Amino acid sequence: DKKNTDAYAIKAFIAVYQKRLDEASQLAEKALALDADNATAYHVKGAVALKQGDYDEAIRLSNKAIELNPNIAESHLVQGISHLSKEKYLEAENSVEQALEISPKFAQAYVVQGYIDYSSENDSASSLDNFKKARELFAEQDNSRQVEKVDEIIGILSAKKS
């Protein structure tokens, strides 16, 4: 039943962010056993594959999640990070752009775009702009831990620029 499927998928989603990857994967499998077209469950499995370094599998699962529900910004971001990890910068950029179209205040997507800009073109100005945008959004969300991390990156890029 849909209620149980969604409950498994949401618990799996939370487990990923708590870095309980085995549990997340098992919960996603339970959701998929009840509903083979549960986009959130595919997203979770893609996120787990990404965190385990299986970028091809992360892309495959994210593609499935996006096919089922193109409005899951996080799936586009998992796809983007996976492409970035494989040094496929154009594909990474396209995925991140999709994530930002869906969710314009998705701070983590600006972080990834910053890495793409720096990695693909060594474009520290554009990269710096993206990290500053991410910082602004993290600050709006009162996410001081992420603000500190981004401030560190901004400091490094600013030092290289001068």
Side-chain angles (χ1 to χ4, degrees):
D1 108 341
K2 180 147 176 51
K3 190 175 172 186
N4 284 337
T5 304
D6 290 343
Y8 283 128
I10 291 166
K11 286 179 183 176
F13 193 81
I14 293 166
V16 167
Y17 288 96
Q18 293 175 338
K19 296 184 170 102
R20 299 187 334 257
L21 301 183
D22 289 339
E23 181 183 346
S25 194
Q26 290 167 2
L27 289 164
E29 282 298 331
K30 287 181 180 179
L32 289 170
L34 295 171
D35 175 9
D37 290 333
N38 187 293
T40 302
Y42 281 106
H43 164 69
V44 166
K45 289 181 69 65
V48 168
L50 171 64
K51 289 181 182 282
Q52 293 173 333
D54 189 347
Y55 307 122
D56 291 326
E57 184 68 356
I59 292 166
R60 187 186 73 75
L61 292 163
S62 294
N63 283 341
K64 182 68 175 173
I66 292 164
E67 176 188 313
L68 294 167
N69 181 354
N71 295 317
I72 301 176
E74 292 86 351
S75 288
H76 291 278
L77 190 63
V78 165
Q79 191 180 59
I81 294 168
S82 298
H83 285 304
L84 175 61
S85 298
K86 294 178 61 144
E87 298 181 3
K88 292 185 172 184
Y89 301 117
L90 184 59
E91 292 91 336
E93 192 160 355
N94 289 337
S95 296
V96 173
E97 283 176 10
Q98 287 293 309
L100 287 169
E101 261 183 49
I102 296 163
S103 184
K105 291 190 171 213
F106 193 1
Q108 195 62 41
Y110 285 99
V111 169
V112 175
Q113 186 60 55
Y115 282 118
I116 293 167
D117 291 343
Y118 190 78
S119 300
S120 65
E121 303 156 25
N122 205 9
D123 183 353
S124 57
S126 177
S127 182
L128 194 55
D129 289 343
N130 280 299
F131 285 114
K132 285 179 179 177
K133 178 67 175 176
R135 188 209 185 282
E136 174 189 317
L137 292 169
F138 283 132
E140 283 177 18
Q141 299 162 9
D142 291 326
N143 190 337
S144 58
R145 192 170 137 255
Q146 290 296 342
V147 168
E148 286 176 24
K149 285 182 178 181
V150 173
D151 276 344
E152 216 174 292
I153 296 166
I154 289 171
I156 292 166
L157 289 176
S158 295
K160 282 188 174 192
K161 200 173 164 187
S162 51

